[in-house]
Amino acid sequence: MTKVNEDKTIVGILRNIKYVFLKRHAYGLTNTIRVLPDFFVIGVVRSGTTSMYHYLDQHPSIVKSAYDEIGFFDDNFRLGWSWYRSLFPTRMKKEKIKEETGNFLTFDDTPFYIYNEIVAKRIREFFPNGKIIALLRNPIDRAYSNYFLGVRMGDEKRSFEEAILEEMEHIKQYNEIQIDEFLSQSYLGRGLYALQLEIWFRYFKRENILIIKSEDFSKNTQRIMEQVFRFLDLPNFKIKNTQKSNVAEYPNMEEKTRDLLREFFRPYNEKLYDMLKIDYNWM
């Protein structure tokens, strides 16, 4: 792992005092004896990453971070490494678990990482051998779920149809230089998975990236978690609590709207299937 350089400027020191000691309290005081993550769950939003966060923590050799959606490598990078360390287990906890189980891992689960090339570069710089997990949901259903999240939060006033028609026009005009900014604000753009995975395949070996179909994860949770544990080189473990997190209810999509989105996503999905050599058969 590349050596982590702390910001030694006056501004950096004052920022650390604010965010490490005032925001993280006792955890901030012990940041120097805490570990950094071994792997990353990078996305996508509304695909089951919160459930994954809780399922992973049930394995006796895995300890979760203080919370999910840390966002350190994008929005919170300015808070510094001391703040980031304060979110992870102590070295003593690591040694205790290794003694008990023979293994120890901790992780960062932030579903906004996947579309941001700056994040991929930063993680590659500091964790060149880190393992990456991505969950991909049918982009039609993912967009619809994401839309209703915006409605619940009071940020979205348009109808779903109005929103996607506007985005379709924008997508015709964007170029790949603008992809990070575009995807971060777009229901449909976040479902252009091939464009996002290309970023990660540039920085990490394919064998270090596990792609999971979200629908399989939902229907066959134990089997998928076995696959995840194998990928992480951990003994298999049957998780006891498979309750799903952040489940939301909303009306069924109009069939004509789904038909429109099927045609829109068809070429992007085909590019993804070709990239991964697998057909997810999303309809």
Side-chain angles (χ1 to χ4, degrees):
M1 184 172 68
T2 303
K3 180 176 176 58
V4 173
N5 294 315
E6 297 286 359
D7 186 348
K8 302 299 185 182
T9 66
I10 295 297
V11 172
I13 292 170
L14 292 175
R15 181 190 58 213
N16 284 345
I17 290 172
K18 176 181 178 181
Y19 287 103
V20 176
F21 299 113
L22 299 183
K23 299 291 187 181
R24 293 294 297 150
H25 306 294
Y27 300 105
L29 292 171
T30 59
N31 74 86
T32 57
I33 61 169
R34 293 179 178 274
V35 299
L36 287 169
D38 301 284
F39 66 96
F40 302 84
V41 181
I42 62 170
V44 297
V45 173
R46 307 306 298 165
S47 68
T49 57
T50 302
S51 295
M52 175 68 76
Y53 170 79
H54 293 292
Y55 297 163
L56 285 164
D57 186 56
Q58 293 182 47
H59 193 287
S61 295
I62 300 178
V63 179
K64 65 186 179 182
S65 56
Y67 52 85
D68 63 340
E69 300 189 6
I70 292 172
F72 174 66
F73 289 97
D74 48 19
D75 293 345
N76 291 325
F77 199 64
R78 62 188 172 81
L79 303 186
W81 288 95
S82 295
W83 177 84
Y84 192 46
R85 281 184 182 276
S86 76
L87 299 165
F88 294 98
T90 64
R91 290 199 293 269
M92 290 81 80
K93 177 84 167 180
K94 174 180 179 177
E95 293 306 315
K96 181 176 184 294
I97 290 177
K98 283 190 73 173
E99 184 177 343
E100 292 173 350
T101 72
N103 298 279
F104 171 87
L105 296 174
T106 187
F107 63 100
D108 178 342
D109 182 329
T110 302
F112 311 104
Y113 284 166
I114 190 168
Y115 51 73
N116 193 327
E117 184 165 7
I118 292 174
V119 169
K121 287 180 179 179
R122 286 171 173 165
I123 293 178
R124 174 66 177 80
E125 178 183 358
F126 296 105
F127 304 90
N129 298 312
K131 292 194 172 183
I132 309 296
I133 298 172
L135 290 88
L136 305 183
R137 183 181 182 182
N138 183 327
I140 298 174
D141 298 324
R142 197 224 64 80
Y144 200 51
S145 178
N146 205 167
Y147 165 81
F148 277 101
L149 175 62
V151 171
R152 291 195 302 276
M153 294 178 67
D155 298 329
E156 181 57 78
K157 306 301 181 184
R158 300 169 296 177
S159 71
F160 182 63
E161 287 72 20
E162 288 171 338
I164 63 171
L165 288 173
E166 285 183 21
E167 290 192 358
M168 285 179 181
E169 287 302 311
H170 291 157
I171 287 172
K172 292 177 184 178
Q173 302 169 24
Y174 88 96
N175 60 60
E176 295 199 9
I177 295 175
Q178 302 165 313
I179 188 172
D180 288 355
E181 180 180 355
F182 171 75
L183 291 177
S184 69
Q185 302 175 40
S186 171
Y187 301 128
L188 301 186
R190 288 184 180 184
L192 309 184
Y193 301 137
L195 293 175
Q196 298 166 61
L197 290 176
E198 282 175 348
I199 293 170
W200 294 86
F201 289 149
R202 283 200 295 272
Y203 293 98
F204 291 89
K205 298 176 182 177
R206 289 211 177 196
E207 57 264 32
N208 276 26
I209 301 177
L210 176 65
I211 311 297
I212 296 170
K213 183 181 179 184
S214 179
E215 292 81 4
D216 290 344
F217 177 55
S218 178
K219 294 177 183 176
N220 302 292
T221 302
Q222 293 286 1
R223 179 175 62 80
I224 295 300
M225 291 309 300
E226 290 176 8
Q227 181 185 3
V228 170
F229 296 144
R230 285 196 302 272
F231 172 70
L232 297 173
D233 297 319
L234 292 176
N236 188 29
F237 179 79
K238 185 174 182 179
I239 61 175
K240 297 177 176 60
N241 182 1
T242 58
Q243 181 177 349
K244 295 175 175 56
S245 303
N246 284 354
V247 177
E249 295 185 0
Y250 36 80
N252 291 331
M253 188 185 304
E254 294 284 343
E255 194 58 34
K256 63 180 181 181
T257 303
R258 180 170 289 274
D259 288 341
L260 177 66
L261 289 174
R262 282 194 191 103
E263 290 306 309
F264 170 79
F265 279 116
R266 190 183 308 279
Y268 298 104
N269 287 343
E270 289 175 352
K271 183 176 182 180
L272 176 71
Y273 302 159
D274 184 63
M275 172 187 289
L276 301 181
K277 309 304 179 190
I278 185 170
D279 187 343
Y280 286 151
N281 194 31
W282 281 325
M283 301 295 291

